[in-house]
Amino acid sequence: MNFLEERIVKDGIVKPGNVLKVDSFLNHQMDIGLMEQIGKEFKRRFSDKHITKVMTIESSGIGIAAFVAKEFGVPMVFAKKSKSINIEGEMYVAEVDSFTHKNRNQVIVSRKFLGPDDHLLIIDDFLANGCALQGLISIASSAGATIEGLGIVIEKGFQIGGNVIRNLGYHLESLAIVDAMDAETGTITFRPQPDRTAEATYDI
Ligand code: 5GP
């Protein structure tokens, strides 16, 4: 197990409805030492890429993306959820369906902070059906920016997002890929990563 898989096994909670709760260390209370490790691991995985900016979506992506941006020594910009209607012109806009809240948000990034010279590393906490990443990809493409890669902390490999994004040809790195989880037994199965050779199942 890598450091993140170990932490998921220790402190993650499998909820009904295919939701993994990691509130105690990732997206409510945050373990800052772990955030630093995550930042360094993304820097290692994308070390051959020329990155000018890290981009994420509010709110859970922000803390993680900040640590990644620090490792690359570049700014971080996050797409904001917005209700305003009179924003075309100043803003890039995309529609994003929320997996956890079961609603649809308009997300925006100011044209001041993204443009054709940018080489982006897109970061988020979870990848489920891929809606959040598709929204960020759409914003990047409106800006004419280059997407150098996408980094996810926890990918739920049994949902379609990972396949969709990889099939679009993007370099996607997920620090932990959950291939199966069971809310009744608390069992979680991780996909093998390069530093591990066999699939492994754990009771959490
Ligand atoms: P997607 O857009 O890929 O369907 O879902 C990704 C977004 O939904 C992430 O930004 C994350 O905030 C949220 N999300 C999806 N699945 C989970 C989950 O199992 N646990 C938590 N905590 N958030 C999730």
Side-chain angles (χ1 to χ4, degrees), residues 18-23 27 57 60 96-100 124-133 156 159 161 181:
N18 284 335
V19 172
L20 178 62
K21 275 200 105 166
V22 287
D23 281 29
N27 51 22
I57 183 165
S60 331
V96 174
D97 290 324
S98 165
F99 177 81
T100 35
D124 204 6
D125 60 341
F126 272 90
L127 174 55
N129 292 325
C131 301
L133 286 190
K156 292 189 292 180
Q159 293 184 252
M181 56 187 200

Side-chain angles (χ1 to χ4, degrees), residues 143-175:
T146 305
I147 298 174
E148 295 289 348
L150 301 101
I152 292 292
V153 180
I154 304 172
E155 175 180 337
K156 292 189 292 180
F158 52 88
Q159 293 184 252
I160 59 167
N163 278 346
V164 169
I165 301 297
R166 290 187 180 94
N167 287 341
L168 289 170
Y170 292 110
H171 178 183
L172 170 65
E173 291 279 345
S174 300
L175 303 191

Side-chain angles (χ1 to χ4, degrees), residues 4-116:
L4 181 69
E5 294 167 333
E6 275 173 14
R7 191 58 181 269
I8 295 168
V9 168
K10 184 167 163 279
D11 291 328
I13 300 168
V14 183
K15 292 281 185 188
N18 284 335
V19 172
L20 178 62
K21 275 200 105 166
V22 287
D23 281 29
S24 64
F25 61 95
L26 192 70
N27 51 22
H28 191 166
Q29 174 172 264
M30 299 180 91
D31 178 333
I32 300 305
L34 185 80
M35 293 302 119
E36 257 172 358
Q37 249 181 310
I38 288 172
K40 287 185 196 312
E41 179 60 15
F42 279 127
K43 175 74 165 82
R44 189 182 71 77
R45 293 194 186 203
F46 292 103
S47 58
D48 59 331
K49 298 284 166 66
H50 170 59
I51 307 291
T52 64
K53 202 163 280 186
V54 172
M55 180 162 76
T56 188
I57 183 165
E58 73 174 357
S59 53
S60 331
I62 295 175
I64 300 157
F67 280 88
V68 179
K70 178 170 182 288
E71 291 301 320
F72 282 92
V74 299
M76 183 273 282
V77 63
F78 60 92
K80 297 173 104 159
K81 291 170 188 156
S82 163
K83 290 196 171 59
S84 20
I85 35 169
N86 196 12
I87 45 179
E88 292 275 8
E90 297 161 49
M91 303 282 175
Y92 304 111
V93 184
E95 299 281 333
V96 174
D97 290 324
S98 165
F99 177 81
T100 35
H101 299 108
K102 309 285 178 226
N103 62 1
R104 171 171 276 222
N105 289 299
Q106 199 174 45
V107 300
I108 56 167
V109 173
S110 168
R111 286 175 187 262
K112 282 188 285 194
F113 305 129
L114 209 54

